[in-house]
Amino acid sequence: MENPDGAETKDQTTGAGMVDKYNVESAEILANSAQHLPISQAAPIYEQLLLLFPTAAKFWKQYVEAYMAVNNDDATKQIFSRCLLNCLQVPLWRCYIRFIRKVNEKKGVEGQEETRKAFDFMLGYVGADIASGPVWIEYITFLKSLQALNAQEESQRMTAVRKAYQKAIVTPTYHVEQLWKDYENFENSVSRQLAKGLLSDYQPKYNSARAVYRERKKYVDEIDWNMLAVPPTGSHKEELQWMAWKRLLAFEKGNPQRIDSVSSNKRIVFTYEQCLMYLYHYPDIWYDYATWHAKSGSTDAAIKVFQRALKALPDSEMLKYAYAELEESRGAIQPAKKIYESLLGDGVNTTALAHIQFIRFLRRNEGVEAARKYFLDARKSPNCTYHVYVAYALMAFCLDKDPKMAHNVFEAGLKRFMHEPVYILEYADFLSRLNDDRNIRALFERALSSLPPEESVEVWKRFTQFEQTYGDLASMLKVEQRRKEALSRSGEDGASALEGSLQEVVSRYSFMDLWPCSSKDLDHLSRQEWLAKNISKKMEKSAISNGLGIVDKDSTGLTSNSAVSAKVVYPDTSCMVIYEPRQKHEAGISPSTTPGLVTASNMSNPIIGLVGSGATNAFDEVLKATPPALMSFLVNLPTVEGPTPNVDIVLSICLQSDIPNGQAGKLGTSPAPATSDLSGSSKSRPVPSGSSFKQLRDRQSGKRKDLDRQEEDDTATVQSQPLPRDAFRIRQIQKARVGTTSQTGSASYGSALSGDLSGSTG
């Protein structure tokens, strides 16, 4: 559908390629452009807009003001008659009262009476609006302006003003406090003695109205009053508006002001009508409105709401069934039948559900014969599916107590729907109720001989369950073996499907919610079954992700820790790569600042993972910046499987290894070994072997002895030095002394600050 200006707009929320006729932005642009056009050109635009947005009060207001500007009173009255009762918005109604006053300003007393009736008519519909304060003030001002020719007319005028004030001050509006002050002044100007009694009577009512206004304002402020009524798209804004209206409706239904039921129901009706101005395309709002009327005892009002709802949403089957249900519940069978016939339509596009529900309706209200007659006609329809056969057969069996008729219906449907597994299962359930195990086996055999293997999974499952209940052990095992053979031809893992599993034993010897194993064992079996089905796929994926196959097979093959659980999804660690420092080298970040990233690669062998990524230069830079102790630590790291090593194993190997130690300051200033000494030429040896690191360790053995001697000298020097004034340095020296004097025996952890190790390391 095209917009009135001929431009097509695409709705991105409902899918690409679908034109959104409810485009709000286009509608706003058209409405603004129509304001600058002559009424003859603007009228078609307004009509097109209001056809799509019939509850858009602002569009109605612009439309009617365009006719009022050219003094076309007849067209203005016609437009007001079309929109006022469906658009309970104060600005639109104030436009209406301006028109009425303009038309009747020169008619004298008769015109004043017409204007007063128009005010009463308006306040009857929008007087409960929280924004209706100006309307009450305008009405009271109008009443005060009426001329009284005698004392009787003056008394009537004052009584009318007093009643208007008394209605206004008990209505929770934005201007309730101002209206109360005006009412006090009015009563005091008439009679102070009378005012005291009247004001004391209405003070509690006013206080209640003011309190309710403050509570109502919290709900009203959440509502977007400029929103246009569009079909729900599921956007967050629409959901917020839906919830805001629901909260306001619940607030009004609670009768917070504790007024009489008639006045309370009037406010609830007003709130529903305002809600439908913005949620016009929401079937749940229409349904809630109608059911609220029905529960309140006003069935006629509920029927009118359903009729309006079907005009707004003519394609809503939900509302049609709800409407038919209401008519049938009150004994109006013929109106309900007309609704069902509207669902059937011309028979070409009739749904199977419409056939089923109409058969049930006829069975409830016109008897078995009427339902059977319609079923015979419906089965000839091209839109008749197996659902209709199942529904009628079960109705004949459960309601009519006629199993023979139900069996005949199932057999008739089997000729048309032998290819439908669901129909086979429903037929099997029916035969199970009859305890007809012979025909059940025959049914399964007939169905499985015609169904393709990929569509027979559920039928085989039900067949095995049937044998577990009705058969002996031999027949049960035979059917299970046949099932595995049949399904193995359709699956990719055909060979593995023929193998038996413990899961089958669990399935055979379970009953309802009773299992021959614990829930933990059941979960473990489920995970194993999933892994068995996906092991080939995972091996292929692992081979592809490993690239050239540089990584050691013993340490990075198919690991148990990377297995995907049915409940927990783990990352694929084979895809982890080392961070490349060269990417940010140009930005001023030195590659030498990232030596710690060595351990961020594959924990099973960080050196291999680093070089295997192709970052040879980065590896050289890391080696240059790596201290000897850290290098020896990396060389002695154990080979582990998975991303998480065993901490106890790592600690035990570290404690038993010969790692150089020394003060942090000396290690930090010691020269790093040349890259050529560690890895040699990157062209000839892209992957450093364990022997190269062993040579490195041998070369550094002499340095370790020197470091040990220096450490002893440094410790003695530190102990002989006087205590410095720096408190942090004092604590550091104290910890160093404790660490060097208390640690004896085999290798153990040293000071947390100095990193020294004492005792035997050999």
Side-chain angles (χ1 to χ4, degrees):
M1 182 178 292
E2 294 184 358
N3 286 326
D5 61 347
E8 294 184 354
T9 56
K10 304 227 174 177
D11 183 15
Q12 298 179 355
T13 60
T14 57
M18 182 180 294
V19 178
D20 182 15
K21 63 180 181 179
Y22 293 99
N23 190 288
V24 175
E25 290 77 10
S26 298
E28 296 285 357
I29 293 172
L30 282 175
N32 292 332
S33 63
Q35 288 183 305
H36 306 288
L37 297 176
I39 187 59
S40 58
Q41 299 179 15
I45 297 177
Y46 283 122
E47 289 293 340
Q48 182 67 21
L49 286 174
L50 293 170
L51 182 64
L52 297 175
F53 305 100
T55 58
K58 57 183 179 181
F59 291 164
W60 284 109
K61 184 173 178 290
Q62 292 179 16
Y63 191 16
V64 76
E65 285 178 344
Y67 274 113
M68 289 173 62
V70 296
N71 296 319
N72 191 337
D73 295 345
D74 294 336
T76 301
K77 292 179 181 179
Q78 184 181 6
I79 294 173
F80 275 131
S81 65
R82 292 167 56 189
C83 68
L84 280 180
L85 299 183
N86 294 326
C87 299
L88 302 183
Q89 191 188 54
V90 171
L92 178 63
W93 280 82
R94 293 194 70 183
C95 181
Y96 161 73
I97 208 66
R98 286 200 307 270
F99 170 72
I100 295 298
R101 297 188 70 171
K102 178 183 176 182
V103 171
N104 295 291
E105 64 181 354
K106 296 181 180 180
K107 293 183 180 181
V109 177
E110 182 180 355
Q112 291 177 350
E113 183 63 21
E114 290 294 329
T115 303
R116 187 187 64 79
K117 291 180 180 179
F119 268 114
D120 291 337
F121 174 71
M122 176 178 64
L123 291 170
Y125 280 93
V126 297
D129 196 304
I130 194 172
S132 64
V135 178
W136 287 103
I137 294 174
E138 185 179 359
Y139 180 41
I140 293 171
T141 303
F142 167 75
L143 292 177
K144 290 180 179 180
S145 65
L146 296 178
Q147 296 182 357
L149 301 178
N150 50 48
Q152 183 178 359
E153 292 182 358
E154 177 65 19
S155 176
Q156 293 176 353
R157 183 178 69 86
M158 299 302 291
T159 302
V161 172
R162 180 177 288 111
K163 288 182 179 180
Y165 267 124
Q166 291 173 352
K167 290 181 180 179
I169 61 176
V170 297
T171 304
T173 64
Y174 292 118
H175 297 75
V176 64
E177 295 180 357
Q178 178 183 344
L179 286 166
W180 174 254
K181 293 178 181 178
D182 293 343
Y183 179 52
E184 285 182 323
N185 295 333
F186 168 75
E187 291 293 357
N188 288 324
S189 65
V190 175
S191 173
R192 288 187 175 273
Q193 184 176 1
L194 182 62
K196 185 184 258 187
L198 291 173
L199 293 176
S200 62
D201 291 341
Y202 277 88
Q203 181 77 43
K205 298 179 181 179
Y206 156 71
N207 292 336
S208 176
R210 184 178 60 178
V212 171
Y213 151 70
R214 292 173 179 173
E215 288 296 321
R216 180 194 279 184
K217 186 177 181 298
K218 298 177 183 178
Y219 298 100
V220 171
D221 289 344
E222 297 178 355
I223 296 174
D224 182 9
W225 298 97
N226 292 319
M227 176 182 172
L228 292 178
V230 297
T233 60
S235 67
H236 181 62
K237 180 180 178 182
E238 291 177 356
E239 292 177 351
L240 289 178
Q241 290 301 302
W242 181 86
M243 291 188 291
W245 278 109
K246 282 286 189 177
R247 285 192 289 265
L248 180 59
L249 286 167
F251 173 75
E252 295 295 349
K253 288 179 181 179
N255 191 9
Q257 201 170 347
R258 300 297 182 264
I259 54 180
D260 59 278
S261 59
V262 176
S263 301
S264 176
N265 290 343
K266 189 176 180 181
R267 287 189 182 177
I268 296 173
V269 169
F270 170 76
T271 307
Y272 266 117
E273 292 292 342
Q274 276 199 327
C275 177
L276 289 172
M277 290 175 57
Y278 304 94
L279 305 182
Y280 185 72
H281 298 278
Y282 285 68
D284 59 310
I285 302 297
W286 287 103
Y287 178 75
D288 290 346
Y289 189 18
T291 52
W292 175 81
H293 271 302
K295 291 178 180 179
S296 300
S298 181
T299 307
D300 294 336
I303 291 174
K304 291 180 180 179
V305 171
F306 272 125
Q307 292 173 350
R308 290 172 54 195
L310 293 179
K311 289 181 180 179
L313 303 170
D315 298 329
S316 177
E317 294 185 13
M318 299 181 291
L319 291 176
K320 289 182 180 180
Y321 285 125
Y323 182 24
E325 183 181 82
L326 178 63
E327 293 284 15
E328 185 180 356
S329 64
R330 73 187 192 112
I333 305 302
Q334 290 305 316
K337 188 174 182 179
K338 290 182 179 179
I339 299 172
Y340 279 107
E341 290 173 349
S342 69
L343 285 164
L344 297 173
D346 54 2
V348 178
N349 298 320
T350 306
T351 62
L353 182 61
H355 285 306
I356 294 172
Q357 297 302 334
F358 190 49
I359 291 174
R360 292 178 175 177
F361 172 79
L362 292 175
R363 171 64 179 78
R364 289 194 302 267
N365 297 283
E366 297 183 12
V368 178
E369 189 62 28
R372 186 185 70 84
K373 183 178 180 181
Y374 181 79
F375 168 72
L376 295 177
D377 294 336
R379 62 185 292 192
K380 301 175 184 177
S381 172
N383 298 323
C384 181
T385 63
Y386 68 88
H387 305 83
V388 180
Y389 281 79
V390 173
Y392 183 71
L394 294 179
M395 185 179 67
F397 177 65
C398 299
L399 299 180
D400 303 338
K401 313 299 181 184
D402 191 348
K404 184 178 180 180
M405 172 64 71
H407 190 274
N408 293 337
V409 172
F410 271 117
E411 279 295 324
L414 193 62
K415 299 176 182 178
R416 293 180 58 181
F417 307 110
M418 178 67 78
H419 62 283
E420 294 287 350
V422 179
Y423 185 80
I424 302 300
L425 298 179
E426 290 291 339
Y427 192 6
D429 286 341
F430 165 72
L431 293 176
S432 297
R433 297 180 185 180
L434 299 180
N435 203 25
D436 191 356
D437 59 325
R438 181 178 179 181
N439 282 327
I440 294 175
R441 286 191 177 91
L443 173 65
F444 281 130
E445 296 293 347
R446 290 168 59 189
L448 292 172
S449 63
S450 60
L451 285 174
E454 59 272 8
E455 296 181 5
S456 62
V457 177
E458 291 298 324
V459 179
W460 276 112
K461 182 179 179 181
R462 188 67 63 85
F463 195 8
T464 55
Q465 292 176 352
F466 164 77
E467 290 296 344
Q468 291 173 8
T469 304
Y470 290 86
D472 52 16
L473 181 60
S475 62
M476 180 169 53
L477 296 177
K478 182 179 179 181
V479 169
E480 286 190 357
Q481 183 63 27
R482 288 177 56 194
R483 171 178 174 268
K484 288 190 290 185
E485 292 175 355
L487 298 182
S488 65
R489 293 192 294 269
S490 62
E492 297 179 357
D493 51 347
S496 62
L498 293 174
E499 299 178 0
S501 65
L502 191 59
Q503 190 86 2
E504 298 173 0
V505 178
V506 173
S507 176
R508 284 197 295 267
Y509 292 96
S510 61
F511 182 76
M512 296 178 66
D513 59 342
L514 303 177
W515 302 89
C517 60
S518 64
S519 59
K520 183 178 180 180
D521 294 336
L522 189 64
D523 183 60
H524 178 68
L525 290 175
S526 300
R527 288 199 302 271
Q528 285 186 328
E529 183 180 8
W530 188 92
L531 289 172
K533 292 180 180 178
N534 294 273
I535 186 170
S536 59
K537 298 180 181 179
K538 183 169 182 62
M539 291 179 65
E540 294 175 1
K541 182 178 179 182
S542 177
I544 295 174
S545 61
N546 286 338
L548 299 177
I550 299 176
V551 184
D552 188 6
K553 294 181 181 180
D554 294 336
S555 60
T556 58
L558 183 63
T559 62
S560 59
N561 287 338
S562 61
V564 181
S565 173
K567 293 185 177 180
V568 181
V569 179
Y570 295 96
D572 188 0
T573 57
S574 62
C575 297
M576 294 175 64
V577 295
I578 190 64
Y579 171 72
E580 178 56 74
R582 292 179 297 176
Q583 295 177 355
K584 294 188 177 182
H585 181 60
E586 298 178 357
I589 301 176
S590 175
S592 62
T593 60
T594 58
L597 291 173
V598 175
T599 58
S601 61
N602 190 355
M603 289 298 296
S604 62
N605 201 331
I607 306 300
I608 293 177
L610 179 64
V611 181
S613 63
T616 307
N617 295 332
F619 177 67
D620 295 340
E621 296 292 336
V622 171
L623 290 179
K624 290 179 181 179
T626 304
L630 179 58
M631 183 59 65
S632 298
F633 173 76
L634 295 177
V635 170
N636 288 281
L637 278 178
T639 300
V640 297
E641 294 183 351
T644 306
N646 191 318
V647 180
D648 296 331
I649 296 177
V650 175
L651 290 177
S652 62
I653 292 178
C654 291
L655 291 174
Q656 297 173 7
S657 61
D658 188 10
I659 300 177
N661 50 12
Q663 287 184 340
K666 292 185 177 293
L667 288 176
T669 58
S670 63
T675 307
S676 59
D677 296 336
L678 296 178
S679 60
S681 175
S682 60
K683 295 181 181 179
S684 60
R685 288 181 293 176
V687 181
S689 62
S691 61
S692 63
F693 289 103
K694 183 178 180 181
Q695 294 173 3
L696 169 65
R697 185 172 57 187
D698 295 338
R699 293 175 187 175
Q700 294 177 348
S701 60
K703 294 183 180 180
R704 289 196 187 114
K705 297 178 180 179
D706 296 338
L707 288 173
D708 293 339
R709 286 194 295 270
Q710 292 176 3
E711 182 184 7
E712 294 174 359
D713 296 339
D714 293 339
T715 304
T717 304
V718 168
Q719 293 176 352
S720 61
Q721 288 177 353
L723 292 176
R725 297 182 180 179
D726 187 359
F728 176 77
R729 184 59 181 165
I730 293 174
R731 289 196 300 270
Q732 184 179 14
I733 293 174
Q734 290 175 352
K735 290 182 179 179
R737 291 177 177 174
V738 172
T740 55
T741 57
S742 61
Q743 296 178 8
T744 58
S746 61
S748 60
Y749 295 107
S751 171
L753 293 174
S754 64
D756 296 338
L757 292 173
S758 63
S760 175
T761 60

